Amino acid sequence: MENMRLRFAPSPTGALHIGGVRTALYNYLLARKNGGTFILRIEDTDQTRYVEGAEQYIVEALEWLGITPDEGPGIGGDFGPYRQSERKDIYLKYTQQLIESGHAYYAFDTSEELDVAREKDPTFKYDAMARLRMRNSISMSAEEVEAALDEGVPHVVRLKVPDNETILFEDIVRGEVAFDSSELDDKVLLKADGMPTYHMANVVDDRLMEITHVVRGEEWLSSTAHHVLLYRSLGWEQEMPAFAHLPLILKPAPESYLDKSTIPAMASRMAEEFARKYPEHAGYKAEVFALQTFQDKKNIPANLKEKEKDQADKAAFKAFLKSALYGKLSKRDGDRLGFPVFPLSWKGATAEDSFTGFREYGFLPEAVLNFLALLGWNPGDEQEMFKLEELVDIFSPERINKSGSRFNIDKAKWFNQQYMIKADDARLARLVRPILEANGQQPSDAFVEGFVSLMKERAVTLPDFWENGYYFFERPRSYEEKMIQKRWQPERSEQFAELVKDMEQLTNFSADEIKAAAERFMEKHELKFGEVLPMLRLAQAGTMKGPAIFEMMELLGQEEAIARLKLGFEAFDNIVQS
């Protein structure tokens, strides 16, 4: 298709959820694959939910991930403004057109009158039947309407949904979708403050910005029938974009993160959240029930089924747990389950509204993109690792799944580890340096590059470099005593002292020369690798875990490596003899 144009249109109401990032990614991939245009549009018509800093957060998140728009706020383009709050007059023009053509009408009902209607009928919706008994320009005389408008009576504008009509549209992911108009309500198009609702602004902007494909989350599928009616009512049906509604991102399966080490904390968190959210049930021993439920991992769904004999407290907690453990991945799930669900960290007004992002958690952006691309789409083969350019080449919306995709943090970590292993050492060193400096270290660039080269196969996220390799910068805080008791023989102390002297005499303290010296020592004293190398490793790092010992000693340097050997061998004697 010529001039394919796609948009990512988030609302600046807080941090950008990872589901929104996936939507942005799919729009970006489809645009790039077809030589089209990727647009950022800020949908900020709901000023009551606007959050300061949210727009900048969205921009920064897209920049970090490398999916930067071609048009948008601060970028420019021929179809601006790209903030809906700056397009108010445009929406008024088209709202007036709908009223004049009879496809929309004024509604003067107060919020109190609407509440009364809902109290009388819990299934109430403002539709073809209800509009006849409410206060609007259909049920009122022309004179009454004119007088109300002249007097400035607060009002909204509603879409006049036709009765008994089937509304059809084709969805790239789901095929033909049909809605019965009798199931739809007369959506508000223009609010009392003169700002448009999402539905009106969305359709007008997509048409005026010449959007050819609308790729968005499944939660907007039910709204599409109203949008189709709006396109038709405005005379734009022939220019209507193609739709693709993405599957939900689902919470991870509980059995994937519940184990002996996590169950107690999870039970405690769930009980605290339940008590905070439902104070009327605060006396219930929720933590006990949660512990019992989580320990029986295979039967969690069955144990959460409500039974007739359940007391009100227990029934409420079951319902709470079911919503917390299953269904759509929510912004709260990161705190609950201990993993990020936002691209970047966000500091809200309260601790509950503050979140750690993938970036701050220690993920590389390319790993996040690769993980998200496969969270609802598949390439048709077994390949898993894709650079962004490769995703652009092979992406096809027809291969987007219809069913929800389960979030798997372990898979995300696997991707991150693979990308760190492949990463350029200089780049990785730049990313790790702030973590080292936060722990009081100021090593040279060359040392950090050597460090990350040795450690990157032993790290899953960036903070792991320090957590698992602090001993490159500090002498061992402790030694693995069980291993030392098993391996160290005090009667060989003099022999190992000889090895230290051999190391001191090396004029080229390279990994190869260190290894050669160790081999000469072992041959002279008829010792095996298993009798010598573990002691060298324990002396340098305090642990048996770590990178190649000779390369590590070379990086530490002759003076430091030998000092550690002396301290370590002396400590081993004390441990065995104590």
Side-chain angles (χ1 to χ4, degrees):
M1 172 183 285
E2 291 185 14
N3 198 28
M4 183 179 284
R5 293 175 58 82
L6 293 100
R7 85 306 194 268
F8 175 52
S11 298
T13 55
L16 177 62
H17 187 265
I18 206 68
V21 175
R22 186 190 63 173
T23 298
L25 174 61
Y26 285 6
N27 276 278
Y28 175 91
L29 293 176
L30 189 56
R32 288 288 176 270
K33 180 182 177 71
N34 293 278
T37 304
F38 174 55
I39 301 154
L40 174 64
R41 186 173 74 218
I42 301 298
E43 301 201 339
D44 58 348
T45 57
D46 190 347
Q47 294 293 295
T48 61
R49 298 179 62 223
Y50 176 82
V51 174
E52 191 70 35
E55 181 182 325
Q56 182 54 42
Y57 176 97
I58 293 164
V59 171
E60 186 180 345
L62 296 181
E63 287 178 351
W64 177 66
L65 291 162
I67 48 177
T68 51
D70 304 302
E71 299 175 18
I75 302 168
D78 296 332
F79 297 85
Y82 293 93
R83 293 185 189 91
Q84 289 185 335
S85 59
E86 298 171 7
R87 298 170 62 86
K88 185 174 178 180
D89 291 343
I90 298 172
Y91 308 127
L92 289 173
K93 170 188 171 184
Y94 288 102
T95 303
Q96 193 60 39
Q97 178 182 322
L98 288 170
I99 292 171
E100 291 173 0
S101 64
H103 292 106
Y105 59 93
Y106 298 109
F108 300 94
D109 316 281
T110 65
S111 57
E112 291 77 14
E113 288 169 335
L114 291 170
D115 288 341
V116 169
R118 294 185 187 103
E119 288 174 10
K120 288 182 178 178
D121 179 7
T123 64
F124 170 82
K125 67 176 184 292
Y126 211 120
D127 57 12
M129 293 295 293
R131 72 172 78 117
L132 298 177
R133 59 179 184 271
M134 302 301 289
R135 290 201 311 128
N136 52 64
S137 56
I138 294 176
S139 63
M140 297 162 61
S141 67
E143 292 77 14
E144 289 175 314
V145 173
E146 187 176 352
L149 293 174
D150 289 343
E151 293 170 14
V153 175
H155 63 275
V156 300
V157 175
R158 290 182 178 273
L159 175 67
K160 185 180 180 183
V161 175
D163 196 16
N164 296 321
E165 183 177 322
T166 300
I167 301 162
L168 295 172
F169 62 91
E170 193 71 22
D171 189 281
I172 295 171
V173 175
R174 299 162 194 285
E176 186 177 79
V177 180
F179 284 93
D180 186 338
S181 66
S182 62
E183 298 174 353
L184 308 178
D185 64 334
D186 289 359
K187 289 290 186 195
V188 173
L189 303 180
L190 200 70
K191 293 176 282 190
D193 63 1
M195 291 295 283
T197 60
Y198 166 82
H199 309 287
M200 183 67 185
N202 175 276
V203 168
V204 170
D205 287 346
D206 282 350
R207 173 69 188 99
L208 299 186
M209 293 181 183
E210 298 181 6
I211 301 301
T212 59
H213 292 70
V214 170
V215 179
R216 59 190 178 191
E218 181 182 290
E219 62 270 23
W220 296 111
L221 182 63
S222 60
S223 298
T224 308
H226 287 97
H227 300 172
V228 171
L229 288 174
L230 275 169
Y231 279 109
R232 184 188 305 171
S233 300
L234 289 163
W236 297 337
E237 192 169 11
Q238 296 307 309
E239 291 81 26
M240 193 166 64
F243 294 103
H245 287 89
L246 308 178
L248 296 175
I249 297 179
L250 305 175
K251 302 174 196 286
E255 55 268 24
S256 70
Y257 56 81
L258 289 176
D259 55 40
K260 288 182 180 179
S261 65
T262 62
I263 283 175
M266 179 64 66
S268 177
R269 277 202 300 272
M270 290 296 177
E272 288 174 6
E273 187 176 339
F274 176 69
R276 190 168 58 249
K277 192 172 183 180
Y278 302 102
E280 65 271 26
H281 299 296
Y284 177 62
K285 295 181 179 179
E287 188 170 346
V288 175
F289 179 80
L291 276 170
Q292 295 171 341
T293 301
F294 295 162
Q295 286 164 354
D296 187 13
K297 290 196 295 184
K298 292 182 179 179
N299 296 307
I300 290 176
N303 291 332
L304 291 182
K305 286 184 178 178
E306 191 173 342
K307 300 174 182 177
E308 288 186 13
K309 63 179 181 180
D310 287 342
Q311 298 295 317
D313 288 342
K314 187 175 185 179
F317 189 54
K318 279 185 175 183
F320 168 78
L321 276 183
K322 194 181 296 183
S323 67
L325 299 178
Y326 299 99
K328 182 182 177 182
L329 185 75
S330 77
K331 67 179 184 178
R332 300 289 177 204
D333 289 327
D335 286 341
R336 284 172 174 162
L337 309 180
F339 56 76
V341 295
F342 296 94
L344 315 178
S345 288
W346 172 264
K347 186 167 181 59
T350 65
E352 286 186 357
D353 289 322
S354 300
F355 312 100
T356 301
F358 271 94
R359 181 179 66 182
E360 291 75 16
Y361 203 93
F363 280 80
L364 302 185
E366 56 267 39
V368 176
L369 286 179
N370 200 150
F371 168 65
L372 285 179
L374 298 177
L375 201 60
W377 170 85
N378 72 85
D381 57 29
E382 298 302 312
Q383 184 177 347
E384 291 188 291
M385 298 285 290
F386 297 98
K387 295 179 181 177
L388 185 57
E389 298 77 17
E390 293 173 314
L391 287 170
V392 168
D393 289 339
I394 65 170
F395 184 76
S396 168
E398 287 77 19
R399 298 201 68 86
I400 295 173
N401 304 331
K402 292 183 177 67
S403 56
S405 299
R406 199 170 293 283
F407 188 92
N408 184 339
I409 190 61
D410 289 332
K411 191 67 176 181
K413 289 179 177 179
W414 179 85
F415 275 117
N416 202 55
Q417 184 174 42
Q418 300 309 306
Y419 276 101
M420 289 203 304
I421 291 171
K422 294 175 181 292
D424 174 74
D425 289 340
R427 178 198 171 206
L428 206 51
R430 288 193 297 273
L431 295 172
V432 170
R433 175 171 285 283
I435 298 170
L436 303 178
E437 291 179 349
N439 284 280
Q441 305 300 322
Q442 291 286 346
S444 69
D445 290 344
F447 188 91
V448 182
E449 285 188 35
F451 165 65
V452 298
S453 179
L454 290 175
M455 285 297 296
K456 61 185 181 181
E457 292 193 13
R458 292 163 179 81
V460 174
T461 59
L462 293 174
D464 290 344
F465 281 95
W466 172 258
E467 293 297 325
N468 300 338
Y470 81 91
Y471 47 78
F472 275 86
F473 308 92
E474 301 175 2
R475 289 175 181 175
R477 299 165 184 166
S478 61
Y479 299 98
E480 288 184 5
E481 294 194 10
K482 286 185 178 179
M483 185 59 65
I484 292 164
Q485 294 279 7
K486 182 179 179 181
R487 301 279 184 132
W488 182 251
Q489 297 181 27
E491 60 269 22
R492 289 181 179 164
S493 293
E494 289 186 11
Q495 294 177 344
F496 275 90
E498 182 183 324
L499 175 60
V500 173
K501 289 181 180 179
D502 292 344
M503 296 289 182
E504 287 177 323
Q505 292 171 5
L506 291 176
T507 56
N508 177 15
F509 202 70
S510 67
D512 288 341
E513 291 299 318
I514 298 168
K515 180 180 179 183
E519 288 174 340
R520 288 192 297 270
F521 168 78
M522 288 184 285
E523 184 177 353
K524 177 180 177 180
H525 294 284
E526 297 182 347
L527 297 172
K528 298 175 182 178
F529 271 95
E531 295 173 300
V532 175
L533 264 60
M535 310 324 300
L536 297 182
R537 182 180 298 283
L538 285 165
Q540 298 300 318
T543 174
M544 289 297 292
K545 298 176 182 177
I549 182 59
F550 301 127
E551 283 77 1
M552 178 183 173
M553 291 175 70
E554 177 184 345
L555 182 62
L556 287 172
Q558 192 168 19
E559 182 180 347
E560 178 62 20
I562 288 172
R564 292 189 184 198
L565 289 178
K566 292 177 179 179
L567 289 170
F569 295 159
E570 182 180 349
F572 300 167
D573 278 338
N574 293 331
I575 289 170
V576 172
Q577 293 168 2
S578 62

